[in-house]
Amino acid sequence: MIIAEGKPIQEVLAMIAPYDKIIVAGCKGCVTVCSAGGEKEVGILSSALRLARQVQGRSLEIKEVTLERQCDVEYLEAMREYADSFQAIVSLACGAGIQFVAEKFRKHPVLPGVNTQFIGVAEEQGVWTERCQSCGNCVLDRTGGICPVARCSKSLFNGPCGGSKGGKCEIDSQVECGWQLIYDRMKELGQLDKLEEPMPIKDWSTSRDGGPRKRVREDLKI
Amino acid sequence: MKSGSRLEKLLTGGHFVVTGELGPPKGADVAVVEKKANLLKENVDSINVTDNQTAIVRMSSIAVSALLIRMGLEPNMQMVCRDRNRIAMQSDIFGAYALGIRNILCLSGDHQKFGNHPTAKNVFDLDSIQLIQAVKKMRDEHKVLGGDEIEGAPQMFIGAAANPFADPFEYRVIRLAKKAAAGVDFIQTQCIYDMEKFERFMKMARDRGLHEKVHILAGVTPLKSVGMARYMKEKVAGMEVPDEIIDRMRKAGKEKAREEGLNICVEQIQRLRQVEGVHGIHLMAIEWEDAVHGIVERAGLLPRPEAN
Amino acid sequence: MEDFEPIVIAFCCHYCAYTAADLAGTMRLQYPSNVRIIRLPCTGKVDVRHLLEAFEKGADGVYVAGCMEGDCHFLKGNFRAKKRVALAKRVLEDAGIGGARLEMYNMSAAMGPRFAEVAREMTEKIRQLGPSPIKRAKGMAHSAERKENDRAPQGAKV
């Protein structure tokens, strides 16, 4: 799922400074699962904003709402009725959702209440780590199911570099060396010989480097 | 002969070579370069020029290499994958060759987190092995990676680094083999203190016949103090320093630390000369360039041979 | 503010803290009527939103009282509460209310005196901190309602 983290309250306060009637919109998708922008977080942020405003001696009216998803137009329509009567929308969805709201609700500013971080997994309750960089050209079949782009700090395709020590990356002793993981897994699978061939040079044009991406399924278009 | 460089000629001629290292200044001050180069000349066969090492912005490797050529010295230009994409790298290789540079080292590069610009984007369009492939393609096929023909192919002598002490240990020789397969001509290792482990690494390399495919130069760095020894053991990624070395440095006490460090260094060089497959040493006297002459002389490596 | 009587909300777990409060009453121990008790099956039921809402509704101080660590009737509820209290303290700090106005306490059902002590301690602490900043900003003077609390002994002073 997409992992995000709530922005510091002070930052959100600064963004909403010109407004006193806002919507705080959560999302029941990824950000609920990673506890960054679901109904609970909408409630916590809204309380915090109201309290902070009261301390400043100003008022703040907040409509708290949590949409099914913010990346599908049909679900955004749930806000259509009342959205324009507010002055701004603070969205706690991932960056994609926030932008979609901004596209579909054009009258007022749409502000990000979270920082969208990465595509990842829940290693345990409360701990999420990155797994995928959406490079558009998956090579997981060649690296034992471990991604060299996302899990190696240098995205090496023929790693590890000389800084790998004790299975950890040179940048942080808490970060696992992606290539140690790949090596161990390939050894487990009995496929170490595959690593002796140099991996070919990456075509980054399918990644962000090639420009904003689009995918179409003609058979689904109405 | 691929590049005709002094380094290549000496290695091909079977000489035990000595390469040195020069860290460029953190600015445009040419005098620093000249000073360091003067301490190295005639003590080494060619000089590594680092490329924004530890991600600290310094005078570019290509510029410093060109300055060394002007001084009549031979550079080994280092190029890291961290800061440049394939377009810039190939372009710089054309330029480097045009400026007279003949030896190039293809490295991954320390992560920018370590340097003075930790908020920078990193590139890593290619990794070090792919860069080796690129340079070889330019040299031998006269083509750039995209396939276009080159107008004046750079005939480079291709080098890379190897770290026998990084993990996983068993994989290090495989990675060396990959670099050999990619087209590397010579390898310099990370500085060695654990002789026994290095000898094990070399045995594994010889078992694969790698000592005949690439020239391996063993890295050596003189220790200045017990603090430096401990720092390298604990804080530097991919470095191993045996306790007995730390003990020797500690026992030497403050006054005799440097002397002991030099003793250890010379002993290491003498031991390394006996290891089959080691064709030279890479002497990295970091911020101690004036020690190079003494070390090389005591190790019996002076005068440096003529390259024919 | 001479006549400031803090409003303190205490979220108490049924098995320990609330029972301790009962015991304090039967033992005729004095504790301030500033403290309004909310009974929960377990402090693990406390949601950060409840804690913040208490301040929005005018509380000057809030505390969560659960079983002794390791003795939670529901095993880990009080550990969850502890972490949520820590989070809520940070939110209150960022919002300008002040994290010191929220605390977590642990006690067993037998600790009537401790319940009273905590109630006194917290009330006094909040009294020193003054009214919640949201009231100060409105320039409101506030005095707590002096309702008869059947847990406070007859004629008890606060």
Side-chain angles (χ1 to χ4, degrees):
Chain A
M1 77 197 98
I2 297 175
I3 310 297
E5 189 173 43
K7 277 185 174 285
I9 292 162
Q10 292 298 322
E11 208 181 315
V12 182
L13 264 172
M15 279 184 220
I16 61 165
Y19 314 112
D20 38 53
K21 196 176 172 203
I22 63 171
I23 298 172
V24 172
C27 170
K28 291 186 190 170
C30 300
V31 292
T32 288
V33 183
C34 70
S35 302
E39 192 180 326
K40 190 170 283 206
E41 290 76 34
V42 168
I44 294 172
L45 177 64
S46 300
S47 271
L49 293 176
R50 282 190 296 260
L51 284 168
R53 269 296 181 83
Q54 281 178 72
V55 171
Q56 290 171 0
R58 291 177 61 189
S59 67
L60 180 63
E61 184 191 327
I62 301 182
K63 180 165 179 64
E64 300 177 32
V65 62
T66 307
L67 303 169
E68 198 62 39
R69 275 203 299 285
Q70 294 188 23
C71 47
D72 276 306
V73 181
E74 292 83 356
Y75 294 123
L76 292 181
E77 286 307 309
M79 290 199 293
R80 186 61 63 193
E81 216 175 19
Y82 53 80
D84 287 356
S85 64
F86 288 81
Q87 298 169 328
I89 303 174
V90 174
S91 166
L92 303 188
C94 73
I98 301 171
Q99 291 187 61
F100 220 34
V101 173
E103 251 178 74
K104 306 297 174 190
F105 292 84
R106 309 186 72 86
K107 186 144 194 251
H108 297 301
V110 177
L111 309 164
V114 301
N115 288 320
T116 302
Q117 297 174 314
F118 52 81
I119 301 174
V121 299
E123 281 193 7
E124 58 175 276
Q125 181 169 306
V127 181
W128 300 274
T129 46
E130 187 164 11
R131 286 292 182 278
C132 173
Q133 281 263 308
S134 49
C135 72
N137 197 347
C138 192
V139 298
L140 287 174
D141 57 311
R142 306 171 62 161
T143 54
I146 295 158
C147 178
V149 179
R151 304 205 67 188
C152 169
S153 304
K154 301 177 182 175
S155 298
L156 303 176
F157 275 79
N158 295 284
C161 72
S164 172
K165 195 157 191 187
K168 304 293 183 195
C169 177
E170 67 181 25
I171 67 158
D172 188 336
S173 57
Q174 302 292 315
V175 175
E176 291 180 295
C177 167
W179 274 95
Q180 177 75 56
L181 292 173
I182 292 172
Y183 174 80
D184 290 339
R185 185 88 188 100
M186 297 296 270
K187 194 171 179 188
E188 219 180 315
L189 290 169
Q191 293 182 348
L192 265 184
D193 52 315
K194 282 198 179 158
L195 289 185
E196 301 200 12
E197 269 300 305
M199 287 261 267
I201 293 173
K202 181 83 165 170
D203 174 1
W204 294 103
S205 66
T206 53
S207 184
R208 182 218 61 88
D209 305 82
R213 295 166 281 181
K214 182 174 183 169
R215 173 189 170 240
V216 179
R217 266 194 61 179
E218 286 298 338
D219 60 306
L220 294 178
K221 286 169 68 175
I222 299 164
Chain B
M1 197 59 52
K2 295 167 185 173
S3 68
S5 73
R6 175 188 163 80
L7 182 65
E8 184 182 2
K9 283 182 184 165
L10 289 176
L11 283 169
T12 314
H15 296 277
F16 190 81
V17 305
V18 179
T19 56
E21 190 157 297
L22 193 158
K26 290 197 235 183
D29 186 356
V30 177
V32 172
V33 177
E34 286 170 351
K35 178 162 174 276
K36 288 186 180 182
N38 281 327
L39 289 168
L40 296 174
K41 78 178 177 195
E42 277 159 44
N43 293 306
V44 300
D45 299 313
S46 59
I47 304 170
N48 278 38
V49 180
T50 60
D51 183 6
N52 295 317
Q53 192 152 54
T54 42
I56 293 176
V57 179
R58 294 176 182 274
M59 192 188 289
S60 74
S61 163
I62 187 173
V64 174
S65 298
L67 288 172
L68 289 179
I69 296 212
R70 267 201 244 164
M71 289 174 69
L73 298 168
E74 176 159 304
N76 303 327
M77 183 180 90
Q78 291 188 209
M79 183 176 276
V80 298
C81 299
R82 176 194 60 232
D83 309 323
R84 290 184 179 75
N85 67 8
R86 65 192 80 173
I87 297 170
M89 289 200 275
Q90 290 175 108
S91 165
D92 278 343
I93 291 167
F94 287 160
Y97 193 78
L99 289 167
I101 295 158
R102 295 288 175 270
N103 305 318
I104 177 172
L105 269 122
C106 306
L107 309 167
S108 302
D110 303 312
H111 195 274
Q112 70 272 13
K113 177 181 192 278
F114 294 109
N116 56 5
H117 290 74
T119 56
K121 208 170 195 201
N122 60 23
V123 183
F124 296 114
D125 180 15
L126 304 177
D127 63 33
S128 58
I129 286 173
Q130 293 165 345
L131 179 55
I132 293 167
Q133 290 177 323
V135 183
K136 181 167 162 56
K137 186 173 178 144
M138 291 165 87
R139 180 189 69 197
D140 297 342
E141 293 176 50
H142 299 203
K143 286 192 174 134
V144 285
L145 284 171
D148 285 0
E149 293 280 330
I150 294 176
E151 298 168 339
Q155 303 295 311
M156 291 290 195
F157 193 51
I158 309 170
N163 190 349
F165 307 106
D167 292 316
F169 182 64
E170 325 84 73
Y171 191 58
R172 287 292 147 188
V173 172
I174 298 175
R175 201 144 181 266
L176 177 57
K178 272 174 99 163
K179 290 186 177 178
V184 83
D185 299 308
F186 73 96
I187 291 278
Q188 290 169 332
T189 75
Q190 184 68 284
C191 51
I192 299 162
Y193 295 101
D194 190 340
M195 285 293 153
E196 191 269 329
K197 195 165 184 181
F198 178 66
E199 281 163 4
R200 263 191 291 145
F201 172 83
M202 283 306 298
K203 169 101 188 21
M204 285 159 69
R206 285 195 301 269
D207 288 344
R208 283 177 176 256
L210 291 174
H211 61 308
E212 280 157 9
K213 293 191 184 131
V214 300
H215 299 285
I216 298 173
L217 311 187
V220 180
T221 296
L223 292 166
K224 275 183 183 169
S225 64
V226 66
M228 178 180 168
R230 283 204 193 106
Y231 180 81
M232 294 185 106
K233 187 186 175 82
E234 282 146 37
K235 304 278 185 177
V236 181
M239 188 79 73
E240 271 191 33
V241 186
D243 290 326
E244 69 164 282
I245 299 274
I246 300 196
D247 278 341
R248 278 180 70 173
M249 291 303 293
R250 188 177 40 85
K251 283 184 185 143
K254 228 175 166 182
E255 273 95 59
K256 300 248 169 172
R258 288 188 172 212
E259 189 187 314
E260 185 65 356
L262 292 172
N263 291 342
I264 294 172
C265 186
V266 173
E267 284 166 35
Q268 285 174 334
I269 297 174
Q270 285 161 343
R271 187 163 166 183
L272 287 164
R273 287 184 81 175
Q274 310 303 316
V275 179
E276 190 193 342
V278 174
H279 293 179
I281 54 154
H282 175 51
L283 185 47
M284 296 169 269
I286 312 161
E287 298 304 319
W288 202 7
E289 288 82 2
D290 56 6
V292 171
H293 174 77
I295 295 169
V296 179
E297 189 175 53
R298 280 174 65 187
L301 291 165
L302 288 184
R304 295 312 306 146
E306 287 292 315
N308 303 313
Chain C
M1 236 164 277
E2 303 265 321
D3 57 345
F4 167 54
E5 280 302 331
I7 299 176
V8 178
I9 308 296
F11 290 89
C12 296
C13 76
H14 167 82
Y15 287 91
C16 286
Y18 192 81
T19 306
D22 246 355
L23 183 56
T26 31
M27 287 170 74
R28 297 282 181 260
L29 297 173
Q30 296 182 27
Y31 68 86
S33 61
N34 303 70
V35 175
R36 324 302 173 80
I37 296 170
I38 297 178
R39 184 174 66 111
L40 304 167
C42 173
T43 52
K45 191 84 175 90
V46 148
D47 193 300
V48 173
R49 288 175 291 181
H50 301 146
L51 304 173
L52 299 178
E53 196 183 334
F55 286 98
E56 283 199 76
K57 290 209 156 129
D60 299 296
V62 171
Y63 64 94
V64 176
C67 305
M68 299 297 277
E69 287 191 5
D71 289 338
C72 171
H73 186 84
F74 293 100
L75 306 184
K76 282 192 182 173
N78 56 359
F79 287 115
R80 296 181 203 276
K82 183 178 180 178
K83 292 200 171 184
R84 290 172 198 165
V85 165
L87 174 63
K89 276 162 88 79
R90 285 196 297 275
V91 174
L92 290 166
E93 199 64 38
D94 286 341
I97 301 293
R101 291 180 182 272
L102 169 65
E103 291 300 346
M104 170 107 195
Y105 292 100
N106 299 83
M107 61 193 67
S108 73
M111 292 162 111
R114 176 72 181 142
F115 179 87
E117 182 183 52
V118 166
R120 279 195 294 272
E121 198 179 284
M122 194 64 182
T123 302
E124 198 41 47
K125 176 175 166 178
I126 301 301
R127 194 191 302 280
Q128 295 303 316
L129 286 173
S132 167
I134 64 173
K135 295 170 189 168
R136 269 186 252 151
K138 284 188 188 149
M140 269 168 65
H142 181 85
S143 25
E145 288 169 63
R146 309 282 221 95
K147 252 200 219 161
E148 273 297 51
N149 184 333
D150 65 356
R151 273 169 187 70
Q154 299 284 336
K157 295 202 183 84
V158 277

